């Protein structure tokens, strides 16, 4: 069969897609990057917020329209399938596959097509990222019961992957040319608690730094679980990127309490200061929810004041009421127009903060991983260790000698605004 896949949502979902692609290819099927030429299309969906659900439905219907041409079967996997598959009135879909059954994707394809299941190896990935970086999913599910989040109901309890399995996977990625691995989970700082009865993220990092990666990057670290041992490890280990992604969600104490978060304004402000004291180089990224129930102008202004200088990068998401969550029972939040106006103001403030913080890199030489050419700007672009792929800023630079994508080059930074500019040295 010619089989195509569309992967929606987060980088954790991307890893699930890469695992399924490996199984499909090793079962003898042909991977197809053009849905119009596929016999089967798999849509791996997200259902975290309303926009994600709308994207999932729109993509499913778009793929279903291809049944008028060559497409024979349409399979839906991921969070939307897990959450709504049993109740969705979508006869266009031939199979809604639960998340726990994704590892048996080849069996389900065979049953759907009335064929025998071929043998295929059970562990592996086909990367869908550029060849020089990859995500390492260290756990699935979540034990945090944030009032706004449906992930525990969709993905279940937190389940860590054993250290030895992750090190083996990392070695395979390294041997395949990956230079940077990015650790992801719903909460990376809780890693190991279910397996080892204690948190073992630092132990995992100590094993990974033995491998010859350029950088190891941490995403989704929860503020209350960031301790001095972790910060000291990041500060001293050259292979660990001086970068932390810390979802804070808000800064107002009442809003944080309603969100069922364990942080407070005082603890978050103190944490940022402490992180920068322990590791002065570090870049900090966060995410914040806009328009949560009970948020009014005064709480919005408090968040706006915090954003003015607090973190290097941030994303802002309008609150999405999710059934089964505690916040779903709260009074309705601000209307959409107000939330969008607040979001725009926050993004503008963060843009100014990012530009100001980038100034410290001017007249320094930074290691940059080269990622491509911007033809409009007529220059190369890449990232330093202080910038995560796809979500942060870039380095635009020139060079007087040939470059190879995925290699690391020394770049003299001569200008900074929202992005950095420079030239190879």
């Amino acid at each position: 069969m010619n089989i195509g896949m569309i992967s929606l949502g987060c980088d954790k979902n991307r890893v699930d897609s890469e695992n399924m692609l490996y199984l499909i290819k090793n079962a003898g099927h042909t991977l197809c990057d053009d849905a119009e030429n596929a016999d089967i299309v798999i849509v791996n969906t997200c259902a975290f917020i309303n926009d994600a659900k709308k994207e999932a439905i729109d993509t499913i219907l778009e793929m279903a329209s291809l049944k008028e041409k060559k497409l024979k079967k349409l399979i839906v996997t991921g969070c939307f399938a897990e959450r709504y598959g049993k109740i969705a009135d979508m006869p266009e879909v031939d199979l809604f596959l639960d998340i726990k059954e994704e590892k048996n994707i080849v069996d389900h394809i065979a049953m759907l097509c009335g064929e025998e299941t071929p043998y295929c190896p059970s562990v592996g990935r086909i990367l869908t990222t550029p060849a020089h970086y990859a995500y390492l999913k260290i756990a699935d599910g979540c034990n945090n019961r944030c009032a706004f989040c449906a992930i525990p109901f969709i993905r279940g309890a937190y389940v860590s992957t054993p250290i030895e399995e992750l090190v083996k996977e990392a070695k395979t990625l390294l041997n395949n040319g990956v230079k940077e691995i990015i650790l992801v989970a719903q909460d990376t700082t809780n890693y190991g608690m279910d397996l080892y009865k204690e948190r073992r993220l630092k132990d995992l990092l100590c094993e990974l730094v033995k491998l010859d990666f350029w950088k190891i990057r941490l995403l989704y670290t929860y503020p209350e679980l960031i301790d001095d041992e972790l910060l000291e490890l990041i500060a001293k280990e050259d292979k660990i990127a001086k970068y932390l992604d810390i979802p804070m969600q808000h800064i107002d104490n009442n809003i944080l309490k309603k969100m069922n978060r364990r942080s407070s304004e005082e603890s978050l402000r103190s944490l940022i200061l402490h992180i920068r004291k322990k590791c002065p180089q570090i870049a900090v990224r966060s995410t914040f929810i806009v328009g949560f129930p009970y948020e009014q102008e005064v709480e919005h202004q408090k968040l706006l004041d915090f954003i003015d200088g607090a973190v290097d990068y941030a994303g802002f998401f309008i609150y999405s009421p999710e059934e089964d969550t505690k916040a779903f029972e709260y009074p309705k939040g601000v209307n959409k127009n107000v939330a969008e106006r607040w979001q725009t103001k926050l993004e503008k403030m963060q843009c100014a903060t990012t530009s100001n913080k980038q100034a410290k890199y001017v007249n320094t030489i930074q290691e940059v991983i080269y990622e491509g050419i911007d033809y409009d700007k007529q220059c190369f672009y890449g990232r330093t260790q202080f910038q995560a792929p796809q979500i942060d800023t870039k380095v635009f630079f020139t060079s007087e000698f040939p470059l190879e994508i995925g290699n690391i080059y020394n770049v003299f930074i001569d200008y900074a605004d929202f992005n950095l500019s420079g030239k190879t040295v």
Side-chain angles (χ1 to χ4, degrees):
M1 292 283 187
N2 290 326
I3 299 180
M5 178 178 285
I6 297 173
S7 187
L8 306 174
C10 68
D11 38 47
K12 299 177 285 293
N13 214 40
R14 178 193 287 267
V15 174
D16 294 343
S17 295
E18 292 175 345
N19 289 329
M20 285 190 281
L21 287 171
Y22 177 87
L23 296 173
I24 291 165
K25 184 176 181 181
N26 280 275
H29 299 292
T30 300
L31 299 181
C32 178
D33 60 7
D34 184 355
E36 292 200 358
N37 293 324
D39 301 305
I40 298 174
V41 167
I42 301 167
V43 183
N44 193 16
T45 57
C46 176
F48 184 53
I49 58 176
N50 285 331
D51 285 348
K53 287 180 273 191
K54 182 179 184 302
E55 182 184 28
I57 293 169
D58 289 346
T59 304
I60 291 167
L61 295 177
E62 181 184 355
M63 293 301 103
S65 68
L66 297 180
K67 286 189 171 184
E68 299 173 2
K69 300 178 181 178
K70 183 180 179 182
L71 188 68
K72 296 181 177 68
K73 302 291 181 182
L74 177 59
I75 300 173
V76 177
T77 63
C79 290
F80 185 88
E82 181 74 31
R83 196 172 186 188
Y84 301 110
K86 292 180 176 62
I87 60 173
D89 183 18
M90 301 185 78
E92 305 90 345
V93 177
D94 297 284
L95 175 65
F96 282 102
L97 192 63
D98 291 347
I99 291 169
K100 65 180 181 297
E101 281 297 308
E102 290 177 357
K103 64 181 182 296
N104 300 318
I105 184 68
V106 171
D107 296 341
H108 288 283
I109 289 172
M111 286 188 287
L112 202 58
C113 299
E115 300 175 349
E116 291 187 8
T117 303
Y119 167 77
C120 64
S122 59
V123 179
R125 285 167 65 183
I126 292 179
L127 294 185
T128 58
T129 54
H132 54 275
Y133 74 84
Y135 296 97
L136 186 66
K137 184 177 176 180
I138 66 175
D140 205 354
C142 188
N143 293 342
N144 298 314
R145 294 285 174 164
C146 299
F148 53 82
C149 183
I151 292 297
F153 307 105
I154 300 172
R155 291 273 176 176
Y158 196 94
V159 179
S160 304
T161 301
I163 289 177
E164 57 272 18
E165 291 184 23
L166 291 171
V167 172
K168 183 179 179 181
E169 184 176 357
K171 287 179 178 177
T172 301
L173 293 171
L174 181 65
N175 291 337
N176 288 336
V178 170
K179 305 262 178 67
E180 175 185 5
I181 54 169
I182 305 168
L183 274 55
V184 294
Q186 201 63 31
D187 173 3
T188 54
T189 34
N190 200 41
Y191 172 75
M193 197 66 186
D194 57 306
L195 273 182
Y196 309 110
K197 309 309 175 190
E198 61 179 344
R199 296 181 178 92
R200 299 283 298 275
L201 176 61
K202 294 180 286 291
D203 294 334
L204 172 61
L205 288 169
C206 287
E207 291 301 313
L208 293 175
V209 295
K210 296 175 184 177
L211 306 178
D212 195 24
F213 288 106
W214 172 60
K215 295 297 173 189
I216 301 161
R217 187 178 302 278
L218 274 174
L219 299 188
Y220 316 127
T221 59
Y222 271 54
E224 59 273 5
L225 297 181
I226 297 171
D227 57 23
D228 280 356
E229 286 185 41
L230 178 61
L231 294 175
E232 288 163 6
L233 183 63
I234 293 171
K236 78 174 184 179
E237 286 290 350
D238 184 61
K239 289 180 183 176
I240 301 179
K242 306 302 178 272
Y243 182 100
L244 273 179
D245 176 285
I246 311 170
M248 298 183 198
Q249 310 304 358
H250 213 280
I251 195 64
D252 178 77
N253 283 336
N254 184 51
I255 299 298
L256 288 168
K257 185 176 180 180
K258 294 293 185 182
M259 287 179 168
N260 202 29
R261 301 285 289 183
R262 299 191 290 273
S263 303
S264 66
E265 178 181 359
E266 181 182 8
S267 69
L268 291 173
R269 289 184 181 277
S270 297
L271 177 64
I272 296 296
L273 292 174
H274 188 64
I275 288 172
R276 297 198 188 283
K277 181 179 178 181
K278 284 285 185 181
C279 188
Q281 286 182 287
I282 204 161
V284 177
R285 178 179 181 83
S286 191
T287 50
F288 299 92
I289 294 175
V290 183
F292 190 76
Y294 303 103
E295 185 178 16
Q296 300 297 325
E297 279 288 350
V298 63
E299 290 84 10
H300 165 65
Q301 187 59 49
K302 185 178 285 188
L303 179 56
L304 199 62
D305 293 341
F306 177 72
I307 291 302
D308 185 10
V311 294
D312 298 79
Y313 314 106
F316 304 93
F317 303 92
I318 293 176
Y319 170 68
S320 173
E322 296 299 319
E323 62 267 30
D324 300 323
T325 64
K326 185 177 180 181
F328 193 72
E329 302 170 1
Y330 289 172
K332 187 177 180 181
V334 299
N335 67 55
K336 185 178 179 182
N337 290 339
V338 172
E340 288 175 348
R341 176 168 56 83
W342 286 357
Q343 182 184 36
T344 299
K345 286 170 65 179
L346 287 162
E347 288 172 344
K348 286 181 178 179
M349 179 63 76
Q350 184 57 53
C351 182
T353 294
T354 297
S355 298
N356 290 336
K357 288 186 176 295
Q358 301 267 67
K360 64 178 174 285
Y361 301 118
V362 175
N363 294 327
T364 68
I365 295 175
Q366 299 292 332
E367 285 189 342
V368 172
I369 189 163
Y370 165 46
E371 297 196 300
I373 299 173
D374 187 305
Y375 290 98
D376 291 334
K377 294 179 182 292
Q378 286 294 293
C379 61
F380 306 107
Y381 67 85
R383 295 177 292 109
T384 68
Q385 64 173 314
F386 310 110
Q387 299 160 308
Q390 297 185 311
I391 54 176
D392 294 332
T393 59
K394 295 178 181 178
V395 180
F396 295 98
F397 61 100
T398 58
S399 178
E400 295 182 358
F401 51 85
L403 306 179
E404 185 175 343
I405 287 181
N407 280 357
I408 291 90
Y409 299 93
N410 288 324
V411 175
F412 178 78
I413 307 298
D414 56 22
Y415 180 76
D417 49 21
F418 187 71
N419 293 298
L420 301 174
S421 300
K423 57 186 176 184
T424 55
V425 294

